[in-house]
Amino acid sequence: MDESYTSLPTSHLLGSVPAVIKDEKSTLNYEVPEANLQIFPPNNGGGGGGGRGYQTLGSTAEGFEQQPANGWKGMFNILSYTQYFDVDTDVVVNRLMSSLHPIAGDFFRKIDANPDLYGLIWISTTLVFVLASFGNCATYLIEKRTDNTTSWSFDVSYMNVAAGSVYGYAIVVPLAFYFLLQYLGSKPSLVQFWCLWGYSFFVFVLASFLLLIPVEILRWIIIILAGAASACFVAFNLKSHVEERPDLSLTVVAAFLLQMALAIFIKVWFFP
């Protein structure tokens, strides 16, 4: 074959492939830009020109979750109290059992990370219904022993007195000790105090079942033991809170006496 044919240019022919030319300068270092997602529609502030336009997802100006307000404004925000009900059954049972060990004095240590208001509300509410119902039953049983013709009647005033006394005591007494200790230079926690006094009512719920026994002397023994257990639970834990201040020991004595006074009030009014 004639070698002159091989020197003809072939780049114009159909199906021909041009030679690859290496050019280091033509290599481009292309970087992919970061994606910047935006929230749609933009917050234009109602068209007044004062809006911030499109907001990125990472914007700190406006998040997806609204944080509870701090300070005094947080007292009127429901979201501020949700953390105090974030407890499971095991935690509640453990704290109920702790209230039955009155001289341990370690309740504040157990609830330090997560004090709850569950005990304050539900134990107090349970005690209200237990006192109102069992108080009527106990009164009926005592009257039935002396007069067989006595008929059953539910005294609604028991419910009113139980609600007023239990709720009032559970809210006002811890609040009073909180402001008193704060005034005296201590640094108490109101939620922890409410939690402490709320769980201190649990022993009264258990004692109410035994107070149905229609024997007066036995009733007094039961209520005194229950009152002493509740009073020691509050006093020993309050003592552990103020043990670095010997001058505050009178507040511990006052808390003990108030719990005993509550126990006597329960016996005299609801189980006469």
Side-chain angles (χ1 to χ4, degrees), residues 177-192:
F177 275 92
Y178 168 75
F179 283 116
L180 176 62
L181 292 178
Q182 197 173 44
Y183 175 77
L184 296 176
S186 182
K187 296 180 180 180
S189 170
L190 180 57
V191 177
Q192 288 186 356

Side-chain angles (χ1 to χ4, degrees), residues 98-235:
S98 297
S99 67
L100 300 180
H101 296 82
I103 61 175
D106 59 347
F107 190 73
F108 281 133
R109 180 179 58 81
K110 291 182 177 180
I111 67 173
D112 184 49
N114 184 26
D116 70 274
L117 296 178
Y118 185 90
L120 175 72
I121 294 178
W122 292 111
I123 297 176
S124 299
T125 302
T126 303
L127 183 60
V128 167
F129 283 97
V130 165
L131 291 179
S133 56
F134 287 2
N136 276 279
C137 291
T139 302
Y140 171 75
L141 292 176
I142 289 293
E143 293 178 354
K144 192 69 175 179
R145 291 185 62 186
T146 57
D147 186 5
N148 292 330
T149 61
T150 301
S151 58
W152 166 261
S153 62
F154 187 86
D155 191 351
V156 183
S157 64
Y158 277 43
M159 179 66 73
N160 299 331
V161 175
S165 58
V166 173
Y167 288 136
Y169 187 96
I171 295 175
V172 174
V173 171
L175 192 64
F177 275 92
Y178 168 75
F179 283 116
L180 176 62
L181 292 178
Q182 197 173 44
Y183 175 77
L184 296 176
S186 182
K187 296 180 180 180
S189 170
L190 180 57
V191 177
Q192 288 186 356
F193 276 16
W194 273 333
C195 183
L196 173 67
W197 262 273
Y199 281 96
S200 72
F201 291 160
F202 179 62
V203 67
F204 291 127
V205 175
L206 301 179
S208 298
F209 289 87
L210 299 177
L211 290 174
L212 287 174
I213 301 174
V215 179
E216 188 65 12
I217 185 64
L218 186 58
R219 285 181 174 180
W220 274 108
I221 294 175
I222 292 170
I223 197 63
I224 289 175
L225 291 176
S230 179
C232 287
F233 173 70
V234 172

Side-chain angles (χ1 to χ4, degrees), residues 1 10 14-15 37 47 53 75 77 116 120 124 129 147 159 162 164 183 196 209 236 245 250 258 268-269:
M1 181 181 293
T10 58
L14 183 63
L37 300 181
M75 295 180 61
N77 191 341
D116 70 274
L120 175 72
S124 299
F129 283 97
D147 186 5
M159 179 66 73
Y183 175 77
L196 173 67
F209 289 87
F236 275 88
R245 297 280 304 275
L250 287 179
L258 283 174
V268 172
W269 185 270

